Amino acid sequence: MRILFIGDIFGRPGRNIVQEKLASLVRTHSIDLIIANGENSAAGFGITGQIAEELFDLGAHVLTTGNHVWDKREIIDYLGSVPSESHDRPRRIVRPANYPAGTPGFGLYEGTLPSGVPYAVLNLQGRVFMQSNDDPFRTADRLLAGVRAKVILVDFHAEATSEKMALGWYLDGRVTAVLGTHTHVPTADERVLPNGTAYQTDVGMSGPYDSVIGVEKELVLQRFLSGMPGKFEPARGDARLCALLIEADATTGRATSVQRLMLGE
Ligand SMILES: [Fe+2]
Ligand SMILES: [Fe+2]
């Protein structure tokens, strides 16, 4: 089977390039399962129910998030509108599983493809250079113990390459893929680890690359130069879609090959 994981979709430029490219990608590569990180899909900051619906309409099966998940507060009600056992769209958005107990939403989703293949998506957030949360390594152990699916994708939303790589090795052979998000810069280290786990330190942003990680570059520069707060606006130019295409054995859940994609307008 083939799985497409799309990195942080940033604002309208990110949504547009995904809309423009996804259908032909799915056709060309016979993609069965699509996961996308949507934490920046609403003007660069957060996600709304309406934008989530848009991304589901384009074909995403599950949306992952990260530290920006609560930037648009309305998402709290959207996530809270379904019980744990639901398979409706709000349940197919996950936020990092190692957030404090009682946080709205869920960190793990388990579903079944129309072909009958069960799959799971786990979202975790790093702790290095980020706000403190529960241990992502132990959270993965605890949640994976209850997962029946063999095909398991982990979105590790983290800053430090070392922490991401460490989780890749930690979960090698236990999940189909450990894919990094959050830095918005794709890394050239995609590979299949020895025990069958696909790995990439960061899948990279799907959004405007004429920017500083998605934001209008003049505004970011001004903040660095002046040290003064200022409003960040999403940039517009040079939209690209960044994703990792994973080939995996649907029965064992082992990844067999990976291909890094970067598609421009
Ligand atoms: Fe992001
Ligand atoms: Fe992030």
Side-chain angles (χ1 to χ4, degrees), residues 8 37 39-40 65-68 125 130 157-159 181-184:
D8 304 42
N37 185 302
E39 73 149 6
N40 308 108
T65 59
N67 56 305
H68 284 292
Q125 188 168 307
M130 298 187 88
H157 197 78
E159 194 80 63
T181 59
H182 177 68
T183 72
H184 294 195

Side-chain angles (χ1 to χ4, degrees), residues 7 12 19 39 46 48 62-63 79 83 88-90 95-96 105 114 130 154 228 230 241-242 244 257:
R12 187 176 295 281
Q19 179 171 29
E39 73 149 6
T48 64
V62 179
L63 299 174
L79 294 188
D88 293 344
R89 287 176 161 188
R95 46 87 180 150
M130 298 187 88
V154 178
M228 296 297 288
L241 182 155
C242 281
L244 192 70
S257 69

Side-chain angles (χ1 to χ4, degrees), residues 186-200:
T187 56
D189 63 341
E190 75 281 3
R191 59 175 158 167
V192 179
L193 297 173
N195 295 314
T197 294
Y199 176 80
Q200 187 180 2

Side-chain angles (χ1 to χ4, degrees), residues 67-88:
N67 56 305
H68 284 292
V69 63
W70 311 126
D71 288 359
K72 301 279 183 283
R73 293 191 59 81
E74 62 203 85
I75 199 64
I76 296 174
D77 292 335
Y78 186 76
L79 294 188
S81 66
V82 288
S84 165
E85 63 276 14
S86 170
H87 293 278
D88 293 344

